[in-house]
């Protein structure tokens, strides 16, 4: 639509030149934008100036596609899955180390190393368990916030709509501009 609308002034000039030369002119538009205007425009309202389909399409796009609600953080869920996997492997490792440490041995150094390994495995399990608990809390908090409106995003979307409505110089709908220029 934007490209077609920006071609209208050149087309009008060519049409006027052709008409002045006594030629007949037929203009074919791929799309008049009428269906889009019907969807966008309020049928009961009147517009004193030519209507910019491009502006309305941009505003609709911003309103429909600029997110203002908080989204769940997918990375938190992935982190939680990794932490749970690490905890599970740590628990398995701890069980294996405990079984090895329980095996009878007459070597005091082997008993000491087994006790140290078991202590390290227990510490790793506690840390992994704490990380899982922390991430479960984070995921729960994040889930409570998901879907709520973010005031900063909402303000940014409103600003973008204001700029599109008031500051951008966008052309009128192609068919309206042609009718206005050529009758």
């Amino acid at each position: 639509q934007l490209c077609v609308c920006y071609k209208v002034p050149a087309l009008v000039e060519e049409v006027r030149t052709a008409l002045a030369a006594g030629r007949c002119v037929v203009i074919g538009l791929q799309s008049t934008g009428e269906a889009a205007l019907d969807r966008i425009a309020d049928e009961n309202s009147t517009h004193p100036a030519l209507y910019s389909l491009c502006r309305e399409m941009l505003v609709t796009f911003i309103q429909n596609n600029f997110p203002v609600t908080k989204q769940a953080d997918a990375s938190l869920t992935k982190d939680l899955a990794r932490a749970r996997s690490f905890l599970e492997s740590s628990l398995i490792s701890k069980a294996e180390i405990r079984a090895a440490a329980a095996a009878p041995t007459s070597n005091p150094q082997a008993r000491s190393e087994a006790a140290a390994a078991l202590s390290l495995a227990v510490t790793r399990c506690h840390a992994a368990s704490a990380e899982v608990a922390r991430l479960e809390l984070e995921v729960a908090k994040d889930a409570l916030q998901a879907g709520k409106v973010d005031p900063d995003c909402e303000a940014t979307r409103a600003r973008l709509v204001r700029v599109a409505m008031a500051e951008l110089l966008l052309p009128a709908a192609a068919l309206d501009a042609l009718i206005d220029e050529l009758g």
Side-chain angles (χ1 to χ4, degrees):
Q1 282 299 322
L2 186 61
C3 291
V4 170
C5 293
Y6 275 122
K7 292 177 182 180
V8 169
L11 176 63
V12 168
E13 188 177 311
E14 295 227 5
V15 167
R16 285 191 176 138
T17 302
L19 291 174
R23 294 190 192 122
C24 292
V25 177
V26 175
I27 300 170
L29 291 174
Q30 185 72 22
S31 169
T32 62
E34 186 176 1
L37 278 174
D38 287 344
R39 281 192 312 269
I40 294 168
D42 177 17
E43 292 180 19
N44 298 326
S45 66
T46 58
H47 301 282
L50 291 178
Y51 207 66
S52 175
L53 176 60
C54 296
R55 180 179 322 285
E56 294 306 318
M57 290 173 79
L58 176 60
V59 168
T60 300
F61 177 81
I62 292 168
Q63 289 173 332
N64 292 339
N65 296 292
F66 192 92
V68 295
T69 55
K70 295 181 181 183
Q71 304 296 313
D73 186 351
S75 67
L76 281 176
T77 305
K78 288 179 184 177
D79 290 346
L80 177 58
R82 279 192 289 270
R84 284 179 174 157
S85 177
F86 181 74
L87 174 59
E88 184 178 332
S89 68
S90 295
L91 289 169
I92 291 169
S93 177
K94 181 180 86 169
E96 291 169 352
I97 292 169
R98 178 171 285 159
T105 181
S106 59
N107 184 341
Q109 183 177 354
R111 273 193 302 249
S112 177
E113 288 173 0
L118 182 58
S119 176
L120 181 61
V122 168
T123 301
R124 188 173 21 194
C125 286
H126 286 300
S129 180
E131 181 65 5
V132 166
R134 184 190 70 77
L135 285 168
E136 285 174 339
L137 185 60
E138 283 284 322
V139 167
K141 283 182 190 177
D142 188 57
L144 289 174
Q145 292 301 312
K148 290 186 178 180
V149 173
D150 182 327
D152 291 337
C153 289
E154 190 173 42
T156 300
R157 181 174 71 182
R159 184 179 57 76
L160 286 172
V161 168
R162 279 193 308 276
V163 167
M165 293 298 291
E167 297 176 28
L168 292 180
L169 299 174
L170 295 171
L175 182 61
D176 291 346
L178 286 171
I179 292 170
D180 189 56
E181 289 288 331
L182 302 172

